[in-house]
Amino acid sequence: MGAIEAAHNVRVLGSGDTTVVLGHGFGTDQSVWKHMVPHLVDQYRVILYDNMGAGTTNPDYFDFDRYSTLEGYAYDLIAILEEFNVDKCIYVGHSLSSMTGAIASIFRPDLFHKLIMIAASPRFVNTVDYYGGFEQEEIDQLCDAMESNYKSWISGFAPLVVGGDMDSVAVQEFSRTLFNMRPDIALSVFRTIFTFDLRHFLARVTVSCHIVQSSKDLAVPVAVAEYLHQNLGGKSIVEVVATEGHLPQLSAPELTIPVLLRHIQHDIVDA
């Protein structure tokens, strides 16, 4: 097993001429795709991996400087694709990883056939001319709460983000993977996500992008999906799904997975 494979807990499942790569978002790990994977392995070669900093990775490998921008994650993704000789993959990225895939595709467009972006946002904080969904003071308060009592913060944050109460299996699952993260790493990743501004990258993304968005997502308003659609440099399409929450593949798989499979199977048709 190579160093990259071991560090990111890379798993290769199924078989097929086409490779589907699944990238998870903040606070989760590759287990967030557990409802999706069985629908892929008979037809595709599937690659799963954990972002550095996830609770399933070695915290000693987390470089706070490298992962203070999304380029660090993008270089990791490119290294994984190169290690496994991936060419023109279908990359399914959730939240943080959807933007990681976008940046990686700018550096190495040859590695990507298309991106499927779930709950993607190029910037979470509002500006005078942009609605990301959050005011800076709200982000500061969330960071303060994380620092003061991480476990307590999770019990408030997880239900809000997933869209449910603590009795929900999806909320419990998200709470578990959040709790597995070392608190200082979780805070660092959270700050990186909620302070980045990737709007200037969008025009340079030339691979096709399929934007899949929950109709009710506390973290990403529907307007952000439309903003991506209008500003990406290549072909793009938006589908708003009647789901609630930021992790629809975990909380509403019966609605979300058929949509994702359709976007994996079908390319954007020129109008």
Side-chain angles (χ1 to χ4, degrees):
M1 185 182 286
I4 293 168
E5 183 179 358
H8 292 276
N9 304 314
V10 180
R11 289 193 302 149
V12 182
L13 305 171
S15 60
D17 296 333
T18 303
T19 300
V20 175
V21 182
L22 303 174
H24 67 84
F26 167 73
T28 62
D29 56 45
Q30 62 185 261
S31 68
V32 79
W33 301 111
K34 63 185 178 182
H35 299 300
M36 177 95 173
V37 170
H39 297 275
L40 295 173
V41 290
D42 289 342
Q43 193 173 349
Y44 302 99
R45 178 188 185 217
V46 181
I47 295 181
L48 296 133
Y49 69 98
D50 293 329
N51 286 322
M52 203 53 63
T56 44
T57 61
N58 185 338
D60 294 340
Y61 293 163
F62 187 82
D63 182 324
F64 285 87
D65 288 334
R66 178 181 176 88
Y67 300 110
S68 64
T69 70
L70 255 64
E71 283 95 326
Y73 296 97
Y75 289 130
D76 285 354
L77 172 57
I78 290 167
I80 291 166
L81 298 180
E82 289 181 333
E83 176 88 1
F84 288 88
N85 301 309
V86 174
D87 180 45
K88 292 288 181 190
C89 75
I90 297 171
Y91 182 74
V92 184
H94 173 246
S95 194
L96 162 73
S97 282
S98 62
M99 298 313 298
T100 299
I103 292 172
S105 78
I106 295 170
F107 298 152
R108 291 290 305 277
D110 57 300
L111 296 176
F112 299 90
H113 173 60
K114 63 183 173 185
L115 305 178
I116 296 168
M117 311 169 87
I118 308 165
S121 177
R123 179 186 169 100
F124 287 90
V125 179
N126 302 330
T127 67
V128 174
D129 60 349
Y130 171 82
Y131 181 63
F134 291 86
E135 296 296 337
Q136 186 58 52
E137 305 85 80
E138 294 175 287
I139 304 302
D140 294 341
Q141 288 168 4
L142 285 166
C143 289
D144 290 345
M146 282 181 89
E147 279 192 285
S148 62
N149 188 330
Y150 183 58
K151 189 173 183 179
S152 174
W153 175 83
I154 290 171
S155 67
F157 183 74
L160 283 173
V161 170
V162 175
D165 55 33
M166 285 305 285
D167 294 331
S168 152
V169 173
V171 171
Q172 290 174 3
E173 180 66 9
F174 186 45
S175 300
R176 178 188 70 80
T177 52
L178 271 171
F179 192 65
N180 282 344
M181 293 183 78
R182 208 173 74 187
D184 59 328
I185 291 174
L187 179 60
S188 177
V189 177
F190 187 85
R191 277 207 174 111
T192 295
I193 293 167
F194 280 93
T195 54
F196 68 47
D197 188 347
L198 305 173
R199 292 176 295 169
H200 60 290
F201 278 112
L202 299 179
R204 295 166 58 195
V205 178
T206 56
V207 301
S208 294
C209 293
H210 299 240
I211 303 157
V212 177
Q213 170 73 33
S214 283
S215 57
K216 188 178 179 186
D217 180 348
L218 183 82
V220 182
V222 172
V224 172
E226 190 57 36
Y227 180 90
L228 286 169
H229 178 48
Q230 297 297 333
N231 289 277
L232 285 160
K235 291 187 215 171
S236 65
I237 189 170
V238 176
E239 181 159 355
V240 178
V241 187
T243 51
E244 182 176 346
H246 190 60
L247 295 92
Q249 74 274 39
L250 186 66
S251 62
E254 69 288 349
L255 292 173
T256 307
I257 287 168
V259 172
L260 295 176
L261 291 174
R262 180 159 36 80
H263 284 285
I264 288 169
Q265 289 161 359
H266 302 288
D267 291 345
I268 299 172
V269 179
D270 289 320

